[in-house]
Amino acid sequence: MVWLYSNLARLNLPHPEAVFEINFFRRNPVPFYTLAAELYPGSFRPTPTHSFVKLLSIHNLLHMCFTQNIDTLERRAGISAEKIVEAHGSFATQRCIDCRTPFDDDEMRDIVLGERAPGQEVGIPRCKKEECGGLVKPDIVFFGEALPDRFIKEIPAIGQADLLLIIGTSLTVHPFASLAGMADRSCHRVLINLERVGDIGRRPGDIVLLGECDAIVRELCTALGWAEELKKAWEETAMTTPDSTGEEKEEKEEEVLEKEIDKITDAIGKQLELAEGLKHGSANESSAAVEGKKTSDMEASSEEASGSKL
């Protein structure tokens, strides 16, 4: 996400995080839906680490998987939704931000991923209730919104665990980051990460495994006798990539990810430039026709979206 924000920083937004702020979304949903079209479920593949968590579930060792990810990759890896707590929500469902009415999955996908003519803005889904017509957004938690009720409800499960795996996280976003500290003192906490984070390693039962998560997971599976199971589980998540296997697939996926991020930021930039152009073009036409005439709804909303500060 830091990589994404650094790319968004060059765009004409109040600040990069604005694309995930509910107040900014209400004024201008275009940047978010330009981003959503590229990050929508199906664009990326689960990692071997996701498949490892699936194996834990298959072997009846997984009580609950808490995740900050919004990309539904845990679901795509085959982990049951009942075993997943998406602390920041996900793209799996969506609803109106005003009346909270759920929105159809297939229609949402068609609007977000629908083909557009060059220069045409992304589709913006709206509530189907005639008396509402509010903006629809995926059930991901924006800045300024409360965390899901299920996250709060399932937190006590941390205190019941006898083993807590903490994988691939900076432990800087609260309250999620505080979950590791809620484990009982008798619980063995295992950190699998590129670097030490939080207070993991300070308790007698803590274990710290530093390195690439996928590499460590493969070593663990080899030690457990699950190497073939992991290989098979991860192969089942493969996206359509003809004539490529193993390391070639991983390298191609990294290249695709980098290109997608660049494409996202370029697309958002073009959408904002288009909105700015429409604003100035409409304003000039309006002033030439009738001096002092009130601006149209399109001009007013466009100006508010591009010029307002949070």
Side-chain angles (χ1 to χ4, degrees):
M1 191 63 74
V2 173
W3 182 18
L4 175 60
Y5 283 158
S6 66
N7 280 274
L8 291 176
R10 72 173 188 260
L11 301 175
N12 185 26
L13 294 168
H15 42 271
E17 294 87 350
V19 74
F20 290 117
E21 289 183 349
I22 189 63
N23 289 334
F24 183 81
F25 176 82
R26 285 182 179 278
R27 294 194 293 269
N28 183 10
V30 171
F32 170 76
Y33 273 110
T34 303
L35 174 68
E38 306 299 338
L39 294 182
Y40 211 75
S43 300
F44 301 103
R45 179 187 181 184
T47 67
T49 301
H50 289 100
S51 295
F52 170 63
V53 178
K54 176 188 176 181
L55 291 187
L56 291 175
S57 181
I58 290 175
H59 287 272
N60 295 317
L61 296 173
L62 179 66
H63 179 60
M64 198 66 67
C65 172
F66 287 79
T67 178
Q68 298 179 87
N69 297 332
I70 62 174
D71 50 24
T72 72
L73 289 181
E74 291 83 9
R75 295 170 186 251
R76 283 202 59 213
I79 304 168
S80 169
E82 296 178 355
K83 294 283 188 179
I84 303 170
V85 176
E86 293 156 325
H88 297 161
S90 77
F91 278 95
T93 55
Q94 55 282 316
R95 67 195 67 247
C96 173
I97 64 174
D98 292 325
C99 71
R100 310 303 296 166
T101 299
F103 194 83
D104 182 71
D105 293 347
D106 292 335
E107 187 169 356
M108 180 74 168
R109 180 178 289 274
D110 289 343
I111 293 174
V112 174
L113 301 180
E115 293 186 7
R116 305 189 303 276
Q120 181 181 359
E121 284 196 358
V122 294
I124 307 297
R126 288 190 171 273
C127 183
K128 308 297 286 186
K129 294 177 68 173
E130 292 184 5
E131 65 274 21
C132 181
L135 290 166
V136 170
K137 83 167 182 64
D139 289 330
I140 61 177
V141 179
F142 276 21
F143 296 114
E145 291 188 304
L147 294 175
D149 291 340
R150 183 157 184 251
F151 171 67
I152 305 301
K153 178 183 177 181
E154 297 293 349
I155 284 178
I158 299 290
Q160 300 169 10
D162 52 15
L163 176 66
L164 183 65
L165 299 179
I166 303 157
I167 308 176
T169 178
S170 62
L171 285 186
T172 57
V173 179
H174 289 273
F176 193 91
S178 62
L179 294 182
M182 296 180 183
D184 189 82
R185 300 290 297 186
S186 63
C187 174
H188 292 281
R189 302 185 303 175
V190 180
L191 174 68
I192 302 175
N193 215 37
L194 283 173
E195 58 186 4
R196 289 179 178 270
V197 293
D199 69 343
I200 314 302
R202 297 179 184 174
R203 294 185 184 180
D206 288 351
I207 298 173
V208 177
L209 304 175
L210 299 183
E212 293 284 346
C213 293
D214 290 343
I216 293 173
V217 158
R218 286 189 172 104
E219 290 181 16
L220 288 175
C221 284
T222 298
L224 290 166
W226 297 357
E228 286 303 313
E229 287 183 76
L230 178 65
K231 181 180 178 182
K232 182 180 178 181
W234 190 55
E235 285 176 348
E236 290 173 353
T237 70
M239 302 172 71
T240 305
T241 311
D243 303 324
S244 62
T245 57
E247 294 183 1
E248 289 183 4
K249 283 186 178 180
E250 293 189 51
E251 290 176 2
K252 285 188 177 182
E253 284 165 6
E254 289 180 2
E255 291 177 7
V256 168
L257 178 59
E258 186 171 355
K259 289 178 181 178
E260 289 292 338
I261 295 297
D262 288 339
K263 187 165 66 172
I264 290 167
T265 53
D266 289 342
I268 294 177
K270 289 177 182 178
Q271 292 291 343
L272 292 173
E273 287 174 8
L274 176 62
E276 189 71 14
L278 287 172
K279 181 186 74 172
H280 290 307
S282 299
N284 291 338
E285 182 179 339
S286 179
S287 61
V290 182
E291 185 175 357
K293 184 179 178 181
K294 292 178 93 175
T295 59
S296 67
D297 290 342
M298 179 184 292
E299 294 161 2
S301 61
S302 177
E303 184 177 58
E304 181 182 21
S306 60
S308 295
K309 293 183 179 180
L310 295 175

